[in-house]
Amino acid sequence: MESSMLTFVLLCVVWSNVAAIEVKIPEQVYEAVNGSDTTIPCKFETSVENPQSGVISWFRRDLNSSARNELILTYYYPDKIFDVAENVDAKGFSIDADLLNGKADLIIKNVEMEDNMIFECRVQIRGDIDGTNSNSATLVVLVAPSTPICEVQGNPKNGEDIKLTCVSNEASPPAEYKWQSLDAQNNPRDPEPKSTDNGGVLSLFGITTDTSGTYTCTSSNKVGSASCSLTLSVTP
């Protein structure tokens, strides 16, 4: 009796696992270079053999956890057509779907910084209402740093403390900054012992006429780099 009961329980577990839809997106994060085309894959398995009808929907939402989903498009089977939501650029999104083979890939054309969002794939198959019918992934749009702006903060007089600032207004992921300098004779030199170079801000303490020269800041990330320079003249 116990053996029969155990067999029955195991069969129930197997049936419950099979009779359920499961939607998967292979990775949690996808990256795309600004201006390129990219695809977010979505795969699914259903317990319904040769489904007669189904609906695939893609949504997006801001990275803010409290943001609400916004519909992008909806694909219908067996019609094999999709509609793009009214407030979405119809030329920017399409879908590569094959409902019988569990494929529902979202295609995004000419990605922009505004596409840094969470994208959700949702699949509904008639006759398969249990399981996990949606999954999501984050799209990170990569942008090379824009030409940084170099500025001097403070009075460049002998004995004063000043800061040299460097900022790229655009960069994804955020840019990293590094300052380098040449002396008045255009020879490379090591950073001054008391100086600090942090987040694009080069702090110089107790400057002297020897601090004068050309200072170059390089802004870089995994996509590219850019630089700016300024000439510092310390007055007595």
Side-chain angles (χ1 to χ4, degrees):
M1 178 63 70
E2 291 182 358
S3 176
S4 300
M5 181 61 68
L6 178 60
T7 301
F8 176 75
V9 171
L10 290 175
L11 287 174
C12 288
V13 171
V14 172
W15 289 336
S16 64
N17 287 337
V18 172
I21 191 169
E22 185 173 8
V23 176
K24 297 180 180 179
I25 296 180
E27 304 292 338
Q28 292 185 339
V29 178
Y30 290 88
E31 296 181 341
V33 177
N34 186 45
S36 67
D37 299 342
T38 191
T39 298
I40 301 179
C42 178
K43 312 298 180 186
F44 62 91
E45 297 177 357
T46 175
S47 61
V48 178
E49 295 185 5
N50 299 319
Q52 299 302 305
S53 63
V55 176
I56 299 170
S57 301
W58 274 95
F59 301 84
R60 65 184 178 183
R61 65 179 181 272
D62 291 335
L63 300 178
N64 186 342
S65 59
S66 63
R68 298 181 61 183
N69 275 345
E70 176 188 28
L71 177 65
I72 301 173
L73 58 78
T74 303
Y75 171 89
Y76 305 93
Y77 183 85
D79 307 70
K80 296 183 179 181
I81 60 174
F82 68 92
D83 294 328
V84 179
E86 291 184 1
N87 59 332
V88 174
D89 180 9
K91 296 180 180 179
F93 295 92
S94 61
I95 188 170
D96 182 8
D98 185 345
L99 191 124
L100 297 181
N101 289 298
K103 183 179 182 181
D105 298 350
L106 178 68
I107 301 172
I108 309 174
K109 296 183 178 180
N110 192 26
V111 297
E112 301 176 346
M113 282 292 290
E114 292 75 12
D115 294 317
N116 276 306
M117 288 190 172
I118 298 172
F119 290 82
E120 180 179 311
C121 174
R122 186 178 302 173
V123 182
Q124 296 170 288
I125 303 295
R126 183 176 180 181
D128 197 352
I129 60 175
D130 295 324
T132 303
N133 75 333
S134 66
N135 212 318
S136 61
T138 300
L139 177 64
V140 176
V141 180
L142 304 178
V143 180
S146 59
T147 301
I149 299 173
C150 290
E151 294 181 333
V152 179
Q153 293 185 358
N155 191 356
K157 287 187 176 182
N158 193 57
E160 296 288 334
D161 298 339
I162 64 171
K163 293 181 179 180
L164 309 185
T165 61
C166 174
V167 177
S168 287
N169 291 324
E170 290 186 357
S172 177
E176 296 182 355
Y177 301 93
K178 182 175 179 60
W179 281 94
Q180 295 175 310
S181 69
L182 303 174
D183 62 21
Q185 288 72 43
N186 288 328
N187 296 314
R189 61 184 170 190
D190 294 331
E192 295 189 10
K194 293 183 179 180
S195 66
T196 61
D197 185 356
N198 185 22
V201 178
L202 177 63
S203 299
L204 302 173
F205 305 98
I207 61 176
T208 67
T209 54
D210 291 336
T211 311
S212 300
T214 301
Y215 289 77
T216 299
C217 173
T218 301
S219 167
S220 62
N221 64 11
K222 65 192 302 181
V223 190
S225 63
S227 62
C228 61
S229 299
L230 57 80
T231 299
L232 180 66
S233 298
V234 179
T235 57

